[in-house]
Amino acid sequence: LLMEETLLLQVTETFPNEVTVKTICVDIYEVTQKKYQSIMGDNPSHFKGVPSRPVDNVTWLQAKTFCNKMGKRLPTEWEWENATGSQNSKSYYWGNKFNAEFAWFNGNSSSRTNPVGQKKPNSFGLYDMVGNVWEWTDSGEDNIKYLRGGSWNSFASGMRISERRRSDPSFKSSTYGFRCVQ
């Protein structure tokens, strides 16, 4: 179901002797506290009080459960990286020099999450693909999952598209959130 909160994207996966092109719908924004609470009945966030902030302090399983209840799923790392709109030669999806107009990070976040959609979007129209909260992906093994995108407390150098964080899927942090795909 394509809604105004999602964007239709074609992603290409390249493997030795194989190229796969598929279409996915990506949420335009990270899941907000308001949306999470309306579906899950609670708000686990550390930074409460502004419903348009991304939900934070969620485990991988909580993120996966939310996406499933919405008829969606977490993106793979490859899908997440494709959704940034970055070309492999760029450090950031907007270019090779950090630009605070695109991301909440430790230099402008006031040491907390901020409402989604306040920074410039990427070339596809997706907001907060880096900064605000690290985003859980469905990549990794049972005991290790990967997050992408940096957060409100990351340094500018940690906002590169190639940055990834390993985490136990049961771990939660005020820097961890997510967006869904389908």
Side-chain angles (χ1 to χ4, degrees):
L1 180 63
L2 182 63
M3 299 181 292
E4 61 196 46
E5 296 176 356
T6 63
L7 185 69
L8 196 64
L9 292 179
Q10 281 194 333
V11 296
T12 305
E13 294 180 324
T14 306
F15 302 101
N17 302 320
E18 181 184 341
V19 175
T20 303
V21 178
K22 62 182 178 179
T23 302
I24 61 171
C25 291
V26 181
D27 285 0
I28 293 173
Y29 306 103
E30 293 164 326
V31 174
T32 63
Q33 293 179 29
K34 179 180 180 181
K35 185 77 160 180
Y36 189 90
Q37 186 158 358
S38 73
I39 300 300
M40 303 299 283
D42 70 334
N43 180 2
S45 297
H46 176 76
F47 299 107
K48 292 183 169 122
V50 179
S52 60
R53 284 184 180 154
V55 67
D56 67 81
N57 210 34
V58 290
T59 66
W60 176 83
L61 185 58
Q62 287 173 309
K64 182 179 171 83
T65 300
F66 173 90
C67 290
N68 289 342
K69 284 187 175 194
M70 295 293 295
K72 300 179 181 183
R73 61 182 174 78
L74 290 170
T76 65
E77 280 192 278
W78 186 254
E79 289 168 338
W80 183 91
E81 200 164 308
N82 272 258
T84 66
S86 174
Q87 297 171 350
N88 290 339
S89 60
K90 292 181 183 179
S91 295
Y92 309 98
Y93 60 75
W94 55 83
N96 284 315
K97 185 178 178 193
F98 184 76
N99 183 340
E101 293 179 7
F102 287 90
W104 294 110
F105 72 113
N106 74 345
N108 67 1
S109 68
S110 300
S111 298
R112 59 174 163 64
T113 59
N114 287 273
V116 301
Q118 301 298 304
K119 294 295 185 176
K120 288 184 176 182
N122 70 6
S123 60
F124 294 134
L126 301 173
Y127 291 85
D128 303 309
M129 287 299 294
V130 297
N132 228 358
V133 289
W134 283 96
E135 297 182 15
W136 283 110
T137 69
D138 203 17
S139 297
E141 304 299 324
D142 288 341
N143 60 341
I144 293 291
K145 294 296 180 185
Y146 290 95
L147 297 109
R148 300 298 296 267
S151 76
W152 57 267
N153 79 340
S154 296
F155 291 102
S157 61
M159 309 298 268
R160 291 185 179 96
I161 295 305
S162 60
E163 292 291 320
R164 63 199 293 237
R165 174 172 278 185
R166 291 171 46 135
S167 183
D168 182 301
S170 66
F171 187 71
K172 53 185 164 182
S173 165
S174 64
T175 62
Y176 290 8
F178 65 101
R179 79 178 65 227
C180 305
V181 301
Q182 68 187 101

